[in-house]
Amino acid sequence: MKIFRTAWGYTFVELLIVVMLLSILAAAAMPLVRVTARRQKEAELRHALREVRTAIDRYKDASDRGMIGGPNQRLGSEGYPPDLKTLVEGVAVTGDASGRRLKFLRRVPLDPIMRSTDWGLRSYQDSPDSMSWGGQDVYDIYSKASGRGLDGIPYRQW
């Protein structure tokens, strides 16, 4: 009667096949991870643009209602803020002796694509597709990123 020894463990070829299968699966998942990260950055960009544009609109509404600006409002500003810093620092309320200031943003949001707070600005007097700021006021903002979104539209046109 012969005693057979059973082999414990895996052979080198079996380990090699398992490693190759795992690397193929990981390679297939990497593009999905990249697209997911890019989609998240684009959602953050949309949110930041909406936040600043809403603050600009609230500033314009307050100016139109006469809460801010008053007689010393800059000529040609059309009631829009002179820069983004004004939205953060706030503006004195017209006719309020207490010195209260209306603030429209807590901070200038970060452009998640460019990783900076350096936004492209447009004034009311600029053309809608202008990529240079006239300097009169801030009517709109856009990202300075040069790429295109997942939807094919350039970031500068969002």
Side-chain angles (χ1 to χ4, degrees), residues 9-148:
Y10 297 103
T11 64
F12 180 71
V13 173
E14 291 172 326
L15 285 175
L16 191 60
I17 290 172
V18 169
V19 168
M20 285 176 49
L21 287 175
L22 287 176
S23 63
I24 290 171
L25 289 174
M30 285 305 291
L32 181 63
V33 170
R34 287 190 194 120
V35 168
T36 302
R38 186 170 168 192
R39 185 177 298 132
Q40 182 178 5
K41 282 186 178 184
E42 289 182 5
E44 291 173 12
L45 176 62
R46 282 189 182 94
H47 178 73
L49 288 169
R50 188 176 321 115
E51 182 181 6
V52 175
R53 288 173 176 160
T54 301
I56 292 170
D57 290 343
R58 288 185 12 236
Y59 184 100
K60 171 71 169 146
D61 290 342
S63 176
D64 288 348
R65 286 185 279 147
M67 293 178 63
I68 59 175
N72 57 356
Q73 185 175 355
R74 289 188 8 231
L75 187 64
S77 72
E78 304 295 331
Y80 290 101
D83 53 22
L84 294 179
K85 191 170 80 170
T86 303
L87 297 172
V88 175
E89 293 174 353
V91 182
V93 177
T94 303
D96 188 2
S98 67
R100 185 172 65 105
R101 299 178 74 79
L102 281 177
K103 295 183 180 184
F104 302 93
L105 283 175
R106 289 185 179 197
R107 60 178 174 78
V108 176
L110 189 71
D111 180 346
I113 307 296
M114 296 292 292
R115 292 189 175 109
S116 74
T117 57
D118 184 31
W119 294 93
L121 306 174
R122 288 188 190 100
S123 67
Y124 186 74
Q125 293 78 9
D126 294 339
S127 67
D129 57 348
S130 173
M131 293 297 162
S132 63
W133 183 40
Q136 292 89 350
D137 53 27
V138 178
Y139 174 73
D140 191 22
I141 67 165
Y142 61 91
S143 175
K144 289 185 173 181
S146 60
R148 291 183 174 269

